[in-house]
Amino acid sequence: GAVVSQHPSWVICKSGTSVKIECRSLDFQATTMFWYRQFPKQSLMLMATSNEGSKATYEQGVEKDKFLINHASLTLSTLTVTSAHPEDSSFYICSARDNSGEQYFGPGTRLTVT
Amino acid sequence: DAKTTQPPSMDCAEGRAANLPCNHSTISGNEYVYWYRQIHSQGPQYIIHGLKNNETNEMASLIITEDRKSSTLILPHATLRDTAVYYCIVRVAPSNSGYALNFGKGTSLLVTP
């Protein structure tokens, strides 16, 4: 079946630094990838939609200059959290859409900002 | 996509069937019912989906009422590893939608020994 990986699975960074999270579709090409954020005891919230070769579309309330998304190839999208602060600590999940339109989810990345 | 309503939490004894309900009274004729689950600190996992007929796979069964306004996900013999949050999502056919899946609050299922 379709597999999506994320790297790293968890990361701890200091306040003010930037951290990059990778999302890869391992056995299929994904023209569209999605980034979600999940705070404790809450549901997944869509942050942005990323289309290969074009600028990402951000949901209302998500700062595009803070959460930089790059989708440079059909199998890789990256999310960079710039100038991270403790309130950015969260569980970040990506998903990739295959040619049939189905979405497959990555295992998530736990970000802790100290 | 149509809105769904699920109970916030349910308990089930290990080995028994877990029946998770979902209301989707505003579902349109071209919308499917999808179920995902999320085990703690993992990404969502696809379980099953259907349009109007009942469906069964190796993980679960999906029963959709004739008027399609509600459905039930059945885990026939729940195990401790089935403890998770279960999400019922209504959406048009994936091939017709480039939009992301929209997750509600789901049902937190606790399977007890």
Side-chain angles (χ1 to χ4, degrees):
Chain A
V3 178
V4 175
S5 70
Q6 283 184 238
H7 177 81
S9 54
W10 60 271
V11 57
I12 302 172
C13 72
K14 291 186 182 295
S15 187
T17 63
S18 296
V19 61
K20 180 186 287 188
I21 302 170
E22 293 185 350
C23 176
R24 293 182 186 273
S25 56
L26 298 186
D27 49 3
F28 66 99
Q29 294 184 330
T31 55
T32 303
M33 289 186 175
F34 304 99
W35 287 95
Y36 294 81
R37 180 168 54 180
Q38 186 176 33
F39 293 108
K41 298 190 185 302
Q42 294 187 22
S43 187
L44 287 78
M45 292 181 58
L46 180 67
M47 297 176 66
T49 300
S50 166
N51 290 303
E52 186 264 338
S54 62
K55 290 184 178 181
T57 303
Y58 292 81
E59 296 298 301
Q60 191 172 8
V62 178
E63 300 175 58
K64 63 179 181 180
D65 294 330
K66 181 171 182 61
F67 298 99
L68 301 179
I69 292 172
N70 183 281
H71 192 162
S73 79
L74 289 173
T75 59
L76 173 64
S77 175
T78 60
L79 167 68
T80 301
V81 183
T82 62
S83 187
H85 291 285
E87 57 265 31
D88 299 323
S89 297
S90 189
F91 192 52
Y92 292 87
I93 303 167
C94 74
S95 70
R97 184 173 182 267
D98 71 6
N99 290 336
S100 72
E102 292 290 359
Q103 269 186 255
Y104 301 93
F105 288 85
T109 296
R110 174 76 58 193
L111 170 64
T112 301
V113 185
T114 61
Chain B
D1 296 334
K3 180 180 169 62
T4 62
T5 304
Q6 299 178 251
S9 64
M10 295 182 66
D11 292 347
C12 177
E14 188 178 20
R16 308 287 283 212
N19 298 290
L20 291 90
C22 179
N23 285 324
H24 31 79
S25 59
T26 60
I27 191 170
S28 299
N30 64 343
E31 289 182 313
Y32 289 74
V33 180
Y34 274 70
W35 283 83
Y36 285 79
R37 73 179 182 184
Q38 186 181 24
I39 295 170
H40 182 63
S41 292
Q42 296 184 23
Q45 176 189 21
Y46 166 81
I47 301 173
I48 199 167
H49 75 278
L51 182 63
K52 54 184 179 181
N53 296 324
N54 298 336
E55 302 287 345
T56 295
N57 63 19
E58 64 278 3
M59 289 183 68
S61 295
L62 174 60
I63 307 299
I64 303 174
T65 58
E66 194 168 340
D67 63 6
R68 302 185 69 239
K69 293 185 177 182
S70 65
S71 60
T72 301
L73 179 74
I74 301 172
L75 308 179
H77 305 286
T79 70
L80 299 179
R81 287 176 293 182
D82 292 322
T83 292
V85 179
Y86 288 77
Y87 297 98
C88 169
I89 300 172
V90 169
R91 63 173 303 190
V92 297
S95 57
N96 294 334
S97 172
Y99 295 107
L101 288 171
N102 185 14
F103 289 82
K105 296 183 179 181
T107 295
S108 178
L109 175 68
L110 175 64
V111 181
T112 56

